[in-house]
Amino acid sequence: GTWWYHWHWSAQYGDGVVGTMIIDGPATSNYDEDLGTLPLTDWYYKTAFELNEVAQHSTTGPPTPDNFLVNGTHVSGEGVGEYAKMNVVKNKKYRIRIINTSVDNYFSVSMDGHPFTVITSDFVPIKPYVTDQITLAIGQRYDVIISANQTVGNYWFRVQPGTACGRNDITTKGLPMGAILHYDGAPDSNPESTGVTMRTTCVDEPTTSLVPFVPNEVPQSVVGEAGEIDLNHFADPNRNNLFRWLIDGTPHIVNWNDPTLETIMAGSQEFGPNSNVRSMQEKDGWYLWWIQSTTFIQLPHP
Ligand SMILES: [Cu+2]
């Protein structure tokens, strides 16, 4: 399956301190070649540190991304720059590992004339289902297979930010948004292909489509003992509307000089206030928490 990781000091991952990981295992449908990871991210022309200062006191929501990147590249609002390219050979099947590594954008994606056979949802191999469009929340991954069975040419891989729950300045520029599927033997030019109407909503794939290939049931016995984690937010009027996410009513405050794991390794349980540590007493046991937003702002990345 497909993973990714990101830096967690302040908002620094917004500057691109992220990486992708592949852990090999059996796939639930066959393909010829793995095209690897395809990270999608919103992109800001100011640094994450600059924007974080603004965002913490914003009363109008988070800053608007200027653009987004597909595998690290895209054209600007002025049409400068390059689209990412995926190179294929006719009559082969390809696996593509799509990841949304954004700070603030949902994305819907589709490939003109090439429906997706979806084989994993996050890290879980699923029973394959076919769709012409998928939507990814922040952090989500879908591995898909496409069959290069169309006329040799160039086809748009369309990427649409979810404007129902966020913004992106590039959506206002009237440019094609996404990347290019390029067949071996086709000219080196932008596609003229047409495709489906892209979703702008921020939705999950239907849960009926997401059926694990190997079911792993949570024991009924732990359901009654499930803990609850409440996510909320607060803007402090006494500190220029300083915005903080809250976990069970407190912001998660980390003392960088005294990391949680180091405390544990030292044999201590003194985690300090607002660490929000959940202890699991039994090794190899089952623990279940309901994590829920009790606010009108959906928190995509707890
Ligand atoms: Cu994170």
Side-chain angles (χ1 to χ4, degrees):
T2 304
W3 289 90
W4 68 293
Y5 61 92
H6 58 270
W7 199 244
H8 241 281
W9 192 72
S10 181
Q12 196 177 11
Y13 95 82
D15 283 337
V17 193
V18 307
T20 64
M21 286 187 284
I22 294 173
I23 298 178
D24 281 326
T28 57
S29 187
N30 291 330
Y31 56 92
D32 298 300
E33 262 181 57
D34 189 344
L35 289 179
T37 54
L38 190 74
L40 315 173
T41 183
D42 46 17
W43 190 242
Y44 303 78
Y45 295 159
K46 287 185 179 166
T47 69
F49 292 111
E50 261 177 284
L51 292 170
N52 192 36
E53 276 308 306
V54 178
Q56 291 192 75
H57 297 281
S58 170
T59 53
T60 54
T64 303
D66 298 289
N67 204 339
F68 63 77
L69 305 175
V70 181
N71 208 7
T73 182
H74 200 239
V75 296
S76 70
E78 293 74 43
V80 180
E82 292 208 349
Y83 291 106
K85 221 175 234 183
M86 288 169 261
N87 296 307
V88 295
V89 172
K90 190 175 160 72
N91 292 328
K92 280 193 171 185
K93 284 184 173 181
Y94 294 88
R95 178 178 187 161
I96 306 169
R97 302 156 180 271
I98 307 164
I99 314 174
N100 183 354
T101 70
S102 283
V103 174
D104 195 40
N105 273 160
Y106 266 68
F107 290 114
S108 290
V109 299
S110 85
M111 185 97 79
D112 290 358
H114 298 78
F116 299 135
T117 300
V118 187
I119 61 166
T120 76
S121 167
D122 293 336
F123 195 57
V124 181
I126 57 172
K127 296 194 173 152
Y129 72 96
V130 179
T131 181
D132 50 25
Q133 182 168 184
I134 52 174
T135 300
L136 298 97
I138 299 166
Q140 283 189 313
R141 294 90 70 198
Y142 285 105
D143 289 15
V144 304
I145 295 171
I146 58 147
S147 181
N149 57 7
Q150 297 297 302
T151 310
V152 168
N154 296 299
Y155 298 84
W156 286 116
F157 172 76
R158 295 179 191 273
V159 178
Q160 169 67 49
T163 49
C165 64
R167 296 172 287 216
N168 192 311
D169 209 37
I170 198 72
T171 61
T172 66
K173 306 294 183 187
L175 291 162
M177 297 183 290
I180 297 172
L181 181 75
H182 173 80
Y183 275 66
D184 188 36
D188 221 1
S189 59
N190 279 358
E192 285 165 13
S193 59
T194 53
V196 297
T197 303
M198 297 301 293
R199 274 198 288 268
T200 54
T201 49
C202 305
V203 293
D204 255 329
E205 290 299 292
T207 46
T208 46
S209 300
L210 305 176
V211 182
F213 192 79
V214 180
N216 190 3
E217 301 258 334
V218 176
Q220 278 301 311
S221 58
V222 301
V223 174
E225 299 166 6
E228 219 170 84
I229 299 177
D230 171 61
L231 306 177
N232 212 314
H233 63 88
F234 176 67
D236 189 343
N238 297 321
R239 297 172 71 189
N240 189 20
N241 290 315
L242 180 69
F243 185 98
R244 284 288 178 258
W245 296 105
L246 306 177
I247 303 172
D248 284 337
T250 63
H252 179 67
I253 295 171
V254 177
N255 178 357
W256 300 104
N257 293 321
D258 191 10
T260 311
L261 284 179
E262 196 175 272
T263 305
I264 293 168
M265 295 304 279
S268 168
Q269 302 256 336
E270 302 289 318
F271 297 115
N274 297 352
S275 295
N276 285 309
V277 171
R278 314 268 146 179
S279 67
M280 288 167 278
Q281 299 301 334
E282 241 175 85
K283 198 177 143 201
D284 298 327
W286 278 90
Y287 293 87
L288 182 66
W289 284 277
W290 304 117
I291 302 175
Q292 57 180 13
S293 264
T294 52
T295 162
F296 61 95
I297 305 177
Q298 292 299 309
L299 176 57
H301 174 209

